[in-house]
Amino acid sequence: MKRFILLLLIALLCLCSIICLTSCDVMDRFGYNDNEDNDDDNNDGDNNKGGSLCIHRSVIIEGKKATCTESGLTNGKVCSKCGTVLEEQRVIMPLGHDESTVYGKPASCSETGLTDGKKCSRCDLVFVTQKTIPCLPHTKNGTTCSVCGSLCDSEGLSYTLSFNRKYYAVTGIGSCTDTQIIIPSTYNGLPVSSIGKDAFKGCVSITSVSIPDSITSIGYGAFYGCSGLTAIVIPDSVTSIGEYIFYGCSSLSSVTLSKEITYITDSAFYGCTRLAAVNIPDSVKIIGSCAFADCSSLTSIDIPDSSFVSIGKNAFSGCTGISKSENGITYVDKWAVAYSGNSSSVTLRSDTLGIADNVFENCTEISEFVIPNGVAYIGNYAFSGCTEITAIAIPNSVKEIGMYAFQDCSYLTSVSIGNGVTYIGTNAFINCDCLNRVSINSVEAWCNIDFKNIGANPLTYAKNLYLDNSVIAHLYIPNTVTTIKDYAFNGCDSLLSVTVSDSVTCISGSSFVDCDNLTDIHFTVTSGWFHTSDASVTRGHTVTVTDSKTNAVNLRENAILEYWMRNT
């Protein structure tokens, strides 16, 4: 019995050995692979028996799809333990292109068309590119197309080719008989970019004009006397319009202005008696003289508050529907535009934004005038010839003073300039011979004023500059100033000495010319200075500034056309 049991155990051991020798084939045959749960530690133990046997763990090697031009590969299998290839990858040949037709569409009179094209349906490679088919011509019936119903470009207009032969201008009605003018955007293959001077002048039969986006300018009197014109839209492509452009267009009741124009020119809408409302774009800086004169039906106008500069003389004369009169002053929106009073003392309305050109010109009865804080602009010739005004205070809110604003104010003895002023126009204070005092509250602000010429600076006549009610004899240029602009202290006889701080890098020509009592100019930084006639350069003739008295002589007498600059 014991012998039988021993023989049975020996037989079982032999059987186990046979099984081990054939384990890889058995495992693979029965589908044992990496997707089954196996104990790696036990497998490693079995694997090491005999030194070269492996229970394979099958791992898939991803293939790749074939494309039109590149071959692919099928998936393969490999043992992750021993690297044995269990299933080889096979090459998949390139598929080749599958050419298909991309259908176009026919052109019509309102839309362009496309030709047929060809491309590969798999990779989208284009074999035949689709081409645009131009619009077909309209079938014109009167002013409209009988096919699509749209308005047709007017035919028979006159054009002039530009000097450089790159664009056309519409210059006349030509043989066109349309009452609804449609200006084309192109002519003879070139853009139509402008409407010329007097192009449609006196064309009383025109009722509407369509202006394309290709137009950038409209010339002087382009629609002068077009009394049948009822509405106009000026596209945003237009940046300039000429004077008298819609003069006498008595039927014009609606206008849309380009948001890119900066100047509504003189008499642009003069006599447009049916025009009821106008929205002035924010881009507009100037409304010219008589721009809306005699627009008797005008009841609404919106003038932008920001960045506006001036309103010309009689810009709204006869516009009774939008003007209000208080104490003899006529206001349009927040602008004082006319004066008909006879008072000796005048105060502007507290919400006044600006004083239009010529409003108080030659008002010799005015001896006292109050400009409230809030006023930003004083127009050209605004107080010219006001011979009885003796003092004027420019508040801090004022940004610009127009040319000849106080011309011939012959009894004006003092003027104070607020620290908000950045520009004073040509000859603003010319012939103010009685001036003896100019008051400021900031040397920095004063140095930054752009005086248009010598007659723009009241110091030319006053000779005495006051800071906080004290006459300036010894001037210190603060270290917040980098440039002393033209004519800043021209003719200032109260100055005895000047100290230029280390922040100053430019002293403009005429800054200290004719300061007869100025004897010393000290520079806190004495190196790097040069003089030049061109303020844009970075080098010039070296200037030695170590001697204060020599500096005074040079800047007082010899620097009229020069800039003294310093390299930093």
Side-chain angles (χ1 to χ4, degrees), residues 484-560:
I484 303 173
K485 291 194 174 182
D486 283 335
Y487 312 109
F489 299 96
N490 184 85
C492 185
D493 288 348
S494 67
L495 284 183
L496 302 179
S497 69
V498 176
T499 299
V500 180
S501 68
D502 56 6
S503 63
V504 176
T505 57
C506 177
I507 302 175
S508 301
S510 302
S511 294
F512 295 99
V513 169
D514 292 333
C515 295
D516 294 339
N517 298 315
L518 180 60
T519 58
D520 293 275
I521 298 180
H522 303 271
F523 287 82
T524 56
V525 176
T526 57
S527 61
W529 286 94
F530 62 93
H531 67 84
T532 175
S533 59
D534 184 356
S536 64
V537 302
T538 58
R539 63 180 62 186
H541 298 288
T542 301
V543 177
T544 301
V545 297
T546 54
D547 188 289
S548 63
K549 295 190 181 300
T550 302
N551 295 338
V553 172
N554 287 335
L555 283 171
R556 193 178 66 219
E557 300 177 3
N558 302 323
I560 295 177

Side-chain angles (χ1 to χ4, degrees), residues 7 11 32 45 99 177 301 322 401 434 451:
L7 291 173
Y32 292 102
E99 187 176 292
T177 58
I301 191 163
I322 59 169
I401 300 173
C434 289
F451 296 102

Side-chain angles (χ1 to χ4, degrees), residues 142-353:
T143 59
T144 60
C145 175
S146 60
V147 177
C148 68
S150 64
L151 292 171
C152 301
D153 289 343
S154 294
E155 298 175 354
L157 298 174
S158 296
Y159 299 89
T160 298
L161 184 62
S162 65
F163 179 77
N164 61 9
R165 307 182 72 82
K166 291 185 177 180
Y167 59 87
Y168 279 95
V170 179
T171 52
I173 191 69
S175 60
C176 182
T177 58
D178 294 347
T179 58
Q180 296 175 297
I181 300 295
I182 311 294
I183 298 174
S185 59
T186 61
Y187 179 73
N188 285 346
L190 293 176
V192 178
S193 65
S194 65
I195 301 173
K197 176 183 178 182
D198 298 330
F200 298 97
K201 182 178 181 180
C203 295
V204 296
S205 62
I206 294 176
T207 59
S208 69
V209 178
S210 177
I211 302 173
D213 289 339
S214 61
I215 299 294
T216 59
S217 64
I218 304 175
Y220 179 103
F223 300 97
Y224 187 108
C226 293
S227 57
L229 187 63
T230 59
I232 194 76
V233 175
I234 301 176
D236 291 342
S237 58
V238 174
T239 58
S240 66
I241 58 175
E243 297 175 350
Y244 297 89
I245 180 174
F246 297 107
Y247 185 99
C249 293
S250 54
S251 297
L252 187 64
S253 59
S254 174
V255 61
T256 300
L257 295 172
S258 164
K259 294 177 182 177
E260 298 299 323
I261 61 171
T262 59
Y263 180 26
I264 299 177
T265 50
D266 295 352
S267 301
F269 295 93
Y270 193 114
C272 294
T273 53
R274 293 190 183 179
L275 189 60
V278 177
N279 183 24
I280 308 295
D282 288 342
S283 60
V284 172
K285 309 302 179 190
I286 300 172
I287 297 177
S289 62
C290 298
F292 295 95
D294 288 345
C295 291
S296 53
S297 298
L298 196 59
T299 57
S300 174
I301 191 163
D302 183 17
I303 300 173
D305 286 350
S306 61
S307 301
F308 204 75
V309 175
S310 71
I311 295 178
K313 183 178 182 180
N314 296 324
F316 298 98
S317 175
C319 299
T320 56
I322 59 169
S323 60
K324 296 180 180 179
S325 183
E326 295 181 22
N327 300 321
I329 304 172
T330 301
Y331 294 90
V332 170
D333 202 358
K334 297 179 181 179
W335 280 75
V337 299
Y339 180 68
S340 59
N342 56 9
S343 176
S344 61
S345 179
V346 176
T347 301
L348 290 172
R349 203 171 64 188
S350 61
D351 67 342
T352 303
L353 177 64

Side-chain angles (χ1 to χ4, degrees), residues 351-394:
D351 67 342
T352 303
L353 177 64
I355 303 170
D357 295 352
N358 305 86
V359 174
F360 301 99
E361 184 179 19
N362 295 326
C363 291
T364 55
E365 70 280 359
I366 300 177
S367 60
E368 181 182 9
F369 198 97
V370 178
I371 303 174
N373 197 43
V375 172
Y377 306 100
I378 298 175
N380 303 326
Y381 298 91
F383 298 95
S384 176
C386 292
T387 55
E388 297 301 312
I389 294 179
T390 58
I392 197 79
I394 310 297

